[in-house]
Amino acid sequence: MFQSFEDTARPDQGPPRIAALREIMAREGIAGYLVPRSDAHQGEYVAPGDERLAWLTGFTGSAGFCAVLAETAGLFVDGRYREQARTQVDTTVITPVDFPETRLADWLRAGLPDGGTLGFDPWLYSAGQVGDLEERLSDSAITLQPMENLVDRIWPDRPSPPCGKIVPYAENLAGETHESKRDRLGRSLGAAGQEAAVLTLGDSIAWLLNIRGSDIPHNPVPHGFAILHANGHLTFFVETAKLDDAARRHLGDEVTIRPPEAFGPGLRSLTGRVRLDRGSVPLWVVQQLDAAGVAHDWGEDPTILPKACKNDSEIAATRNAHLRDAAAMCEFLAWFDDQPEGTLAEIDVVQKLEACRRATGELLDISFSTIAGSGPHGALAHYRVTDTSNRRLEAGDILVLDSGGQYLDGTTDITRTLPVGDPGEDERAAFTRVLQGMIAMSRTRWPEGLAGRDLDAIARHPLWLADQDYAHGTGHGVGVHLCVHEGPQRLSRISEVPLRPGMIVSNEPGYYREGAFGIRIENLLVVTPADPLPDGDQHGKLCFETLNFVPVDRRLVEIDMLCRPEREWLDGYHAQCRDKIGPRLSARARLWLEEATAPL
């Protein structure tokens, strides 16, 4: 199994570990210390040795941070993780704080009214994060102090850094050689008057060099740092044990390999202006350049947009991956519907679904830990079943099943909500509203230049009409055999990045009733130019192409709530599922698919 069901949260360990951290804080003479979820690469998913937030507090969610003061400790989490945080930490010592509704600066002012020094590890915070916090605290007596990592000093058995093998990524899947990518992006640096750019994001380096790694669970990226020069040359700071002869031949003479400890001297030896991404480069990098008098400009990581806007080869590859994955999903759903009520638990669901994906013979990993939340667990948007929490599916439940696979030709992510027996009217009505939002986003056309924030409300509108909503974005970017969460594009009210052809986003509205049930329906979409309409008088529109082809469960649909275009869209989508996936299925699954996709 790629997925573990071990319960790694240790709420009982929070109090003694917080106490140990406070002892060091007192010796260092600081009033507070910040512990983020992130690592030195600013990735969402981190290696075991970088799970400092989970080790200190017990909270295992993929986003959040803790601020520890002498008398209080706040765990800042957003709407996806609030219920989870309350169950995973000792709330007598650690107080969950609603973020971003409560800003860290405001919380610090209340906790440190007379001021004080707040310590943080400059490897774990970007220059932008530190600068923004300093600005918000500028009218207070609180100062920020970069320092060594204090959690590492009290973590006696901290795991060693990963050293996963790096492998070349095929050119026919990447659609462009890494020599071409480096040359193209290097010239863009030169045109901006910059001599180099610092890259710290694992997926940026993997994409640029056409390599994949294995340092992070479920995300095929390597740990390392890179400096891209305007002449296209690149210096790659990475553990040499990760590179075999094939990887070295792939990288070639224009990529210089240096050990990680050479990164600091390499930064300090740079000349000319250096581009830094304020949102991702650790403050530590800025400190090295400043110490050596190396000028820097703030600018976006040069790989971000080219990586986000997939080329024709990448889109063709990921289409194939999604068809393969859809067949595995349909085999699972046919099996699921054959199981008698009361015989399955959440872990059974996760294990069987992974087995169906493995049966393709091409699954390299899952793309994230499968979310299989039944009944009240479905209300936890990022629930992960453990041996402790494993719940039997009961008649009347609905199951939120969010999962994905890593294949050489693509990264998949799909959510379906499934009935167990006959759910109630409230559940079916809420499901139908979520479906209406998903359909509305799938059908939308928009003028070029609009961003995710301009479209986000389209998926929420049916829920808003019933005074319902969901506390997460409507969609995130997705890579091609890279990270399942990829920027900079999102369908979110806070995303200002214009959507461009080739970008892949998820479309996943939901609804969650705490303690009762959850609903989410998710497909992946790729942005594509829209064909002109015969009677239209405007051009330059964009639209979405759907990548996933797995039936939406019709047993949860209140058909009378759907308007004619919505019914037509769903029937048309189900017809595509039959045509595209049917030939790939076993006889039993084909029969199931015919029944599951019958017209409304």
Side-chain angles (χ1 to χ4, degrees), residues 441 444 446-447 449-460 464 470 473-477 488-500 503 505-506 527 542 544:
M441 187 65 75
T444 195
W446 68 95
L450 297 190
R453 68 177 183 184
D454 302 310
L455 304 187
D456 179 78
I458 291 171
R460 298 178 190 271
W464 285 351
Y470 47 96
T474 298
H476 54 83
Q489 73 278 14
R490 287 187 292 173
L491 294 176
S492 165
R493 64 187 72 182
I494 62 173
S495 177
E496 299 180 352
V497 177
L499 295 169
R500 304 186 184 195
M503 288 181 168
V505 292
S506 66
V527 180
L542 299 174
F544 289 124

Short mmCIF file of all heavy atoms in Angstrom, two decimals, residues 441 444 446-447 449-460 464 470 473-477 488-500 503 505-506 527 542 544:
data_model
loop_
_atom_site.label_atom_id
_atom_site.label_comp_id
_atom_site.label_asym_id
_atom_site.label_seq_id
_atom_site.Cartn_x
_atom_site.Cartn_y
_atom_site.Cartn_z
N MET A 441 -19.50 25.63 -13.60
CA MET A 441 -18.10 25.94 -13.87
C MET A 441 -17.62 25.20 -15.12
O MET A 441 -16.88 25.77 -15.94
CB MET A 441 -17.23 25.54 -12.67
CG MET A 441 -15.78 25.98 -12.80
SD MET A 441 -15.58 27.78 -12.81
CE MET A 441 -15.83 28.13 -11.06
N THR A 444 -18.76 27.11 -18.30
CA THR A 444 -18.57 28.55 -18.42
C THR A 444 -17.61 28.93 -19.55
O THR A 444 -16.71 28.18 -19.92
CB THR A 444 -18.08 29.15 -17.08
OG1 THR A 444 -18.23 30.55 -17.09
CG2 THR A 444 -16.62 28.82 -16.83
N TRP A 446 -15.45 32.62 -20.76
CA TRP A 446 -15.11 33.91 -20.18
C TRP A 446 -14.08 34.63 -21.05
O TRP A 446 -13.34 34.00 -21.81
CB TRP A 446 -14.56 33.73 -18.76
CG TRP A 446 -13.23 33.06 -18.69
CD1 TRP A 446 -12.01 33.65 -18.62
CD2 TRP A 446 -12.98 31.64 -18.68
NE1 TRP A 446 -11.01 32.70 -18.58
CE2 TRP A 446 -11.58 31.47 -18.61
CE3 TRP A 446 -13.80 30.51 -18.73
CZ2 TRP A 446 -10.99 30.19 -18.58
CZ3 TRP A 446 -13.21 29.25 -18.70
CH2 TRP A 446 -11.83 29.11 -18.63
N PRO A 447 -14.03 35.95 -20.96
CA PRO A 447 -13.05 36.72 -21.74
C PRO A 447 -11.64 36.49 -21.23
O PRO A 447 -11.41 36.33 -20.02
CB PRO A 447 -13.48 38.19 -21.52
CG PRO A 447 -14.86 38.12 -20.95
CD PRO A 447 -14.94 36.84 -20.21
N GLY A 449 -8.08 37.11 -19.78
CA GLY A 449 -7.62 38.08 -18.79
C GLY A 449 -8.28 37.93 -17.43
O GLY A 449 -7.81 38.50 -16.46
N LEU A 450 -9.37 37.15 -17.36
CA LEU A 450 -10.01 36.95 -16.06
C LEU A 450 -9.23 35.94 -15.23
O LEU A 450 -8.59 35.02 -15.76
CB LEU A 450 -11.45 36.48 -16.23
CG LEU A 450 -12.43 37.43 -16.92
CD1 LEU A 450 -13.85 36.91 -16.78
CD2 LEU A 450 -12.32 38.84 -16.36
N ALA A 451 -9.30 36.10 -13.91
CA ALA A 451 -8.57 35.25 -12.98
C ALA A 451 -9.54 34.34 -12.23
O ALA A 451 -10.77 34.45 -12.36
CB ALA A 451 -7.77 36.10 -12.00
N GLY A 452 -8.97 33.46 -11.41
CA GLY A 452 -9.79 32.55 -10.63
C GLY A 452 -10.80 33.25 -9.74
O GLY A 452 -11.91 32.76 -9.55
N ARG A 453 -10.43 34.40 -9.21
CA ARG A 453 -11.36 35.12 -8.33
C ARG A 453 -12.60 35.59 -9.09
O ARG A 453 -13.67 35.79 -8.50
CB ARG A 453 -10.66 36.33 -7.71
CG ARG A 453 -10.32 37.43 -8.69
CD ARG A 453 -9.71 38.63 -8.02
NE ARG A 453 -9.45 39.70 -8.98
CZ ARG A 453 -8.85 40.85 -8.68
NH1 ARG A 453 -8.45 41.06 -7.45
NH2 ARG A 453 -8.67 41.76 -9.60
N ASP A 454 -12.47 35.77 -10.41
CA ASP A 454 -13.60 36.23 -11.21
C ASP A 454 -14.59 35.10 -11.50
O ASP A 454 -15.75 35.37 -11.82
CB ASP A 454 -13.10 36.82 -12.54
CG ASP A 454 -12.13 37.97 -12.33
OD1 ASP A 454 -12.47 38.88 -11.56
OD2 ASP A 454 -11.05 37.94 -12.93
N LEU A 455 -14.13 33.85 -11.40
CA LEU A 455 -14.99 32.71 -11.73
C LEU A 455 -15.46 31.95 -10.50
O LEU A 455 -16.44 31.19 -10.59
CB LEU A 455 -14.24 31.73 -12.65
CG LEU A 455 -13.67 32.27 -13.98
CD1 LEU A 455 -13.12 31.12 -14.80
CD2 LEU A 455 -14.70 33.05 -14.75
N ASP A 456 -14.82 32.13 -9.37
CA ASP A 456 -15.09 31.30 -8.20
C ASP A 456 -16.57 31.30 -7.81
O ASP A 456 -17.13 30.26 -7.46
CB ASP A 456 -14.23 31.80 -7.02
CG ASP A 456 -14.47 31.02 -5.75
OD1 ASP A 456 -13.96 29.90 -5.63
OD2 ASP A 456 -15.20 31.53 -4.87
N ALA A 457 -17.21 32.44 -7.89
CA ALA A 457 -18.61 32.53 -7.46
C ALA A 457 -19.56 31.72 -8.33
O ALA A 457 -20.66 31.36 -7.88
CB ALA A 457 -19.07 33.99 -7.43
N ILE A 458 -19.15 31.40 -9.55
CA ILE A 458 -20.02 30.64 -10.45
C ILE A 458 -20.39 29.30 -9.81
O ILE A 458 -21.54 28.86 -9.87
CB ILE A 458 -19.33 30.43 -11.81
CG1 ILE A 458 -19.23 31.78 -12.55
CG2 ILE A 458 -20.06 29.40 -12.66
CD1 ILE A 458 -18.38 31.72 -13.81
N ALA A 459 -19.41 28.64 -9.18
CA ALA A 459 -19.67 27.34 -8.57
C ALA A 459 -20.43 27.46 -7.26
O ALA A 459 -21.10 26.51 -6.84
CB ALA A 459 -18.34 26.61 -8.33
N ARG A 460 -20.37 28.61 -6.61
CA ARG A 460 -21.01 28.77 -5.30
C ARG A 460 -22.46 29.24 -5.40
O ARG A 460 -23.23 29.09 -4.46
CB ARG A 460 -20.22 29.78 -4.46
CG ARG A 460 -18.80 29.36 -4.16
CD ARG A 460 -18.06 30.42 -3.35
NE ARG A 460 -16.65 30.11 -3.27
CZ ARG A 460 -16.08 29.36 -2.31
NH1 ARG A 460 -16.85 28.86 -1.35
NH2 ARG A 460 -14.79 29.11 -2.31
N TRP A 464 -25.27 29.38 -2.53
CA TRP A 464 -25.60 30.66 -1.90
C TRP A 464 -27.10 30.91 -1.88
O TRP A 464 -27.64 31.49 -0.93
CB TRP A 464 -24.89 31.79 -2.63
CG TRP A 464 -23.42 31.89 -2.34
CD1 TRP A 464 -22.72 31.20 -1.40
CD2 TRP A 464 -22.48 32.73 -3.01
NE1 TRP A 464 -21.40 31.55 -1.44
CE2 TRP A 464 -21.22 32.49 -2.42
CE3 TRP A 464 -22.56 33.65 -4.04
CZ2 TRP A 464 -20.05 33.16 -2.83
CZ3 TRP A 464 -21.41 34.31 -4.46
CH2 TRP A 464 -20.17 34.08 -3.86
N TYR A 470 -19.02 26.62 1.09
CA TYR A 470 -17.92 25.75 1.51
C TYR A 470 -16.71 26.62 1.81
O TYR A 470 -16.53 27.69 1.22
CB TYR A 470 -17.59 24.69 0.47
CG TYR A 470 -17.47 25.19 -0.96
CD1 TYR A 470 -16.24 25.52 -1.52
CD2 TYR A 470 -18.60 25.33 -1.76
CE1 TYR A 470 -16.13 25.96 -2.83
CE2 TYR A 470 -18.51 25.76 -3.07
CZ TYR A 470 -17.28 26.08 -3.60
OH TYR A 470 -17.17 26.52 -4.90
N GLY A 473 -11.27 26.85 -1.45
CA GLY A 473 -11.36 27.34 -2.81
C GLY A 473 -12.09 26.35 -3.69
O GLY A 473 -12.25 25.17 -3.36
N THR A 474 -12.52 26.81 -4.85
CA THR A 474 -13.22 25.93 -5.78
C THR A 474 -12.25 25.03 -6.53
O THR A 474 -12.61 23.94 -6.95
CB THR A 474 -14.05 26.77 -6.76
OG1 THR A 474 -15.03 27.51 -6.03
CG2 THR A 474 -14.76 25.90 -7.78
N GLY A 475 -11.01 25.46 -6.69
CA GLY A 475 -10.08 24.62 -7.43
C GLY A 475 -8.64 25.06 -7.30
O GLY A 475 -8.34 26.22 -7.04
N HIS A 476 -7.74 24.11 -7.48
CA HIS A 476 -6.30 24.34 -7.43
C HIS A 476 -5.67 23.89 -8.74
O HIS A 476 -6.26 23.11 -9.50
CB HIS A 476 -5.68 23.55 -6.27
CG HIS A 476 -6.00 22.07 -6.31
ND1 HIS A 476 -5.29 21.16 -7.08
CD2 HIS A 476 -6.97 21.35 -5.68
CE1 HIS A 476 -5.80 19.95 -6.93
NE2 HIS A 476 -6.83 20.03 -6.10
N GLY A 477 -4.48 24.37 -9.02
CA GLY A 477 -3.74 23.90 -10.18
C GLY A 477 -3.21 22.50 -9.96
O GLY A 477 -3.05 22.04 -8.82
N PRO A 488 0.63 28.86 -10.40
CA PRO A 488 0.01 29.87 -9.54
C PRO A 488 -1.51 29.97 -9.70
O PRO A 488 -2.17 30.68 -8.97
CB PRO A 488 0.67 31.15 -10.04
CG PRO A 488 0.82 30.92 -11.52
CD PRO A 488 1.15 29.45 -11.66
N GLN A 489 -2.08 29.24 -10.68
CA GLN A 489 -3.50 29.37 -10.98
C GLN A 489 -4.35 28.67 -9.94
O GLN A 489 -3.98 27.63 -9.41
CB GLN A 489 -3.81 28.83 -12.38
CG GLN A 489 -3.79 27.32 -12.51
CD GLN A 489 -2.40 26.74 -12.68
OE1 GLN A 489 -1.41 27.41 -12.47
NE2 GLN A 489 -2.33 25.47 -13.09
N ARG A 490 -5.50 29.25 -9.64
CA ARG A 490 -6.49 28.65 -8.76
C ARG A 490 -7.86 29.18 -9.14
O ARG A 490 -7.98 30.25 -9.71
CB ARG A 490 -6.23 29.00 -7.28
CG ARG A 490 -5.04 28.31 -6.67
CD ARG A 490 -4.96 28.59 -5.18
NE ARG A 490 -4.63 29.97 -4.89
CZ ARG A 490 -4.63 30.51 -3.68
NH1 ARG A 490 -4.99 29.78 -2.63
NH2 ARG A 490 -4.29 31.76 -3.49
N LEU A 491 -8.89 28.42 -8.80
CA LEU A 491 -10.24 28.94 -8.82
C LEU A 491 -10.56 29.31 -7.37
O LEU A 491 -10.94 28.45 -6.57
CB LEU A 491 -11.23 27.91 -9.37
CG LEU A 491 -11.06 27.53 -10.83
CD1 LEU A 491 -12.03 26.42 -11.22
CD2 LEU A 491 -11.24 28.74 -11.73
N SER A 492 -10.37 30.55 -7.05
CA SER A 492 -10.47 30.98 -5.66
C SER A 492 -10.72 32.48 -5.63
O SER A 492 -10.23 33.23 -6.49
CB SER A 492 -9.17 30.67 -4.92
OG SER A 492 -9.08 31.36 -3.70
N ARG A 493 -11.44 32.91 -4.63
CA ARG A 493 -11.76 34.34 -4.50
C ARG A 493 -10.53 35.19 -4.20
O ARG A 493 -10.60 36.41 -4.27
CB ARG A 493 -12.83 34.54 -3.43
CG ARG A 493 -12.42 34.17 -2.04
CD ARG A 493 -13.59 34.25 -1.06
NE ARG A 493 -14.54 33.18 -1.29
CZ ARG A 493 -15.68 33.03 -0.60
NH1 ARG A 493 -16.02 33.91 0.33
NH2 ARG A 493 -16.48 32.03 -0.83
N ILE A 494 -9.39 34.56 -3.87
CA ILE A 494 -8.17 35.33 -3.59
C ILE A 494 -7.15 35.22 -4.71
O ILE A 494 -6.05 35.75 -4.60
CB ILE A 494 -7.53 34.93 -2.26
CG1 ILE A 494 -7.10 33.46 -2.29
CG2 ILE A 494 -8.48 35.19 -1.10
CD1 ILE A 494 -6.30 33.04 -1.07
N SER A 495 -7.47 34.51 -5.80
CA SER A 495 -6.50 34.31 -6.87
C SER A 495 -6.61 35.41 -7.92
O SER A 495 -7.66 35.59 -8.53
CB SER A 495 -6.71 32.96 -7.54
OG SER A 495 -5.80 32.79 -8.61
N GLU A 496 -5.51 36.11 -8.15
CA GLU A 496 -5.48 37.19 -9.13
C GLU A 496 -4.72 36.80 -10.40
O GLU A 496 -4.48 37.65 -11.25
CB GLU A 496 -4.84 38.43 -8.50
CG GLU A 496 -5.61 38.96 -7.29
CD GLU A 496 -4.97 40.19 -6.68
OE1 GLU A 496 -3.85 40.53 -7.11
OE2 GLU A 496 -5.58 40.80 -5.79
N VAL A 497 -4.35 35.54 -10.53
CA VAL A 497 -3.58 35.08 -11.69
C VAL A 497 -4.52 34.81 -12.86
O VAL A 497 -5.41 33.97 -12.75
CB VAL A 497 -2.79 33.80 -11.34
CG1 VAL A 497 -2.05 33.29 -12.57
CG2 VAL A 497 -1.83 34.07 -10.19
N PRO A 498 -4.37 35.51 -13.98
CA PRO A 498 -5.24 35.26 -15.13
C PRO A 498 -5.12 33.81 -15.61
O PRO A 498 -4.03 33.25 -15.65
CB PRO A 498 -4.74 36.24 -16.19
CG PRO A 498 -4.05 37.32 -15.42
CD PRO A 498 -3.43 36.63 -14.25
N LEU A 499 -6.25 33.23 -15.97
CA LEU A 499 -6.26 31.87 -16.49
C LEU A 499 -5.82 31.89 -17.96
O LEU A 499 -6.27 32.73 -18.73
CB LEU A 499 -7.65 31.27 -16.37
CG LEU A 499 -8.13 31.07 -14.92
CD1 LEU A 499 -9.61 30.71 -14.89
CD2 LEU A 499 -7.32 30.02 -14.21
N ARG A 500 -4.93 30.97 -18.31
CA ARG A 500 -4.36 30.94 -19.66
C ARG A 500 -4.51 29.54 -20.26
O ARG A 500 -4.57 28.55 -19.53
CB ARG A 500 -2.88 31.32 -19.61
CG ARG A 500 -2.61 32.67 -18.97
CD ARG A 500 -1.16 33.04 -19.08
NE ARG A 500 -0.86 34.29 -18.37
CZ ARG A 500 0.25 34.99 -18.54
NH1 ARG A 500 1.18 34.56 -19.39
NH2 ARG A 500 0.45 36.10 -17.86
N MET A 503 -3.48 25.72 -18.76
CA MET A 503 -3.51 25.58 -17.31
C MET A 503 -4.54 24.51 -16.93
O MET A 503 -5.64 24.46 -17.48
CB MET A 503 -3.88 26.90 -16.64
CG MET A 503 -2.80 27.94 -16.68
SD MET A 503 -3.34 29.47 -15.82
CE MET A 503 -1.77 30.34 -15.69
N VAL A 505 -6.84 23.06 -13.81
CA VAL A 505 -7.39 23.39 -12.49
C VAL A 505 -8.42 22.33 -12.09
O VAL A 505 -9.04 21.70 -12.95
CB VAL A 505 -8.06 24.78 -12.46
CG1 VAL A 505 -7.04 25.89 -12.63
CG2 VAL A 505 -9.16 24.88 -13.50
N SER A 506 -8.57 22.15 -10.80
CA SER A 506 -9.65 21.30 -10.33
C SER A 506 -10.93 22.13 -10.22
O SER A 506 -10.89 23.35 -10.07
CB SER A 506 -9.31 20.68 -8.97
OG SER A 506 -9.21 21.67 -7.96
N VAL A 527 -7.74 24.67 -19.35
CA VAL A 527 -8.17 25.88 -20.04
C VAL A 527 -7.81 25.78 -21.52
O VAL A 527 -6.69 25.40 -21.88
CB VAL A 527 -7.49 27.12 -19.41
CG1 VAL A 527 -7.94 28.39 -20.14
CG2 VAL A 527 -7.80 27.22 -17.92
N LEU A 542 -12.28 32.04 -23.55
CA LEU A 542 -11.68 30.79 -23.10
C LEU A 542 -12.78 29.91 -22.51
O LEU A 542 -13.85 30.39 -22.14
CB LEU A 542 -10.60 31.06 -22.05
CG LEU A 542 -9.40 31.90 -22.50
CD1 LEU A 542 -8.48 32.19 -21.33
CD2 LEU A 542 -8.64 31.20 -23.62
N PHE A 544 -13.36 25.55 -20.66
CA PHE A 544 -12.72 24.42 -20.01
C PHE A 544 -12.98 23.14 -20.80
O PHE A 544 -14.09 22.91 -21.30
CB PHE A 544 -13.26 24.22 -18.59
CG PHE A 544 -12.82 25.26 -17.60
CD1 PHE A 544 -13.77 25.99 -16.89
CD2 PHE A 544 -11.48 25.48 -17.36
CE1 PHE A 544 -13.38 26.92 -15.94
CE2 PHE A 544 -11.07 26.43 -16.42
CZ PHE A 544 -12.03 27.14 -15.72
#
